[in-house]
Amino acid sequence: MTTSNTEQPTPSNLHWLLDDFVNRVPGALSAFLASSDGIELAHAGLSADQPENAAALVSTLYSLSRSAGRLTPQPTVTADVRQVVVELDTATLFLMVAGDGLPQGVEVQLGADPSKTSSVLGVMASPDANVGLVGHEMTMMIKSVAEHLVTTTRRSAGGVQ
């Protein structure tokens, strides 16, 4: 039996896309997709115990970055997060919003739908990776599947968000 990557991408079946990214982009060590509220959606290049930690990290850094927008010289203007880069001694972590609040230049804008939450794409790269290339490849991947990267907002058992 053969498998095909021709099925429509959704957050639940994007592992193959992230695998391809890690294998194709020089210096990419791992890639992960999480909802902005911390649910792991897909990953590649992570050990079995890392995806939930990566999702929590993505959620926390994304939230902190959104808060930083309130410190801009124009606090009444919404400062959307485009990208977060964390430079470590042993690696560089890149984060980009991958759904509903997409990076500048991505034409698929889904609007502020209260039933949806954004997704965040994370890539861990080697310290000598070409940061421009990694960022470009992340943007191109997001553009190619953007409409499939928005996740449904979870509701509590009582139906309240």
Side-chain angles (χ1 to χ4, degrees):
M1 181 171 106
T2 61
T3 59
S4 170
N5 291 341
T6 60
E7 62 185 298
Q8 286 296 314
T10 63
S12 64
N13 69 10
L14 288 173
H15 293 280
W16 66 268
L17 188 64
L18 298 180
D19 277 331
D20 176 67
F21 185 93
V22 170
N23 291 324
R24 185 177 45 78
V25 178
L29 303 172
S30 62
F32 38 93
L33 182 68
S35 64
S36 60
D37 57 356
I39 301 299
E40 188 263 329
L41 302 171
H43 66 275
L46 297 176
S47 63
D49 62 336
Q50 292 179 315
E52 286 184 9
N53 291 334
L57 175 70
V58 162
S59 175
T60 301
L61 287 174
Y62 176 72
S63 178
L64 287 170
S65 299
R66 289 184 65 198
S67 295
R70 295 185 193 109
L71 300 175
T72 63
Q74 299 175 323
T76 58
V77 176
T78 303
D80 293 326
V81 177
R82 294 183 186 171
Q83 169 176 278
V84 177
V85 179
V86 178
E87 188 175 353
L88 307 168
D89 290 337
T90 58
T92 303
L93 172 64
F94 300 84
L95 301 178
M96 278 190 187
V97 178
D100 202 27
L102 298 165
Q104 183 176 18
V106 176
E107 296 180 16
V108 180
Q109 291 293 332
L110 301 169
D113 183 343
S115 69
K116 306 287 185 185
T117 188
S118 58
S119 299
V120 181
L121 173 64
V123 171
M124 188 68 76
S126 62
D128 59 345
N130 180 328
V131 296
L133 177 64
V134 173
H136 173 75
E137 291 293 337
M138 289 174 72
T139 300
M140 296 309 293
M141 183 171 67
I142 290 168
K143 281 183 179 183
S144 71
V145 294
E147 65 273 13
H148 303 288
L149 299 178
V150 177
T151 58
T152 304
T153 301
R154 293 183 315 282
R155 296 185 183 275
S156 67
V160 179
Q161 292 186 37

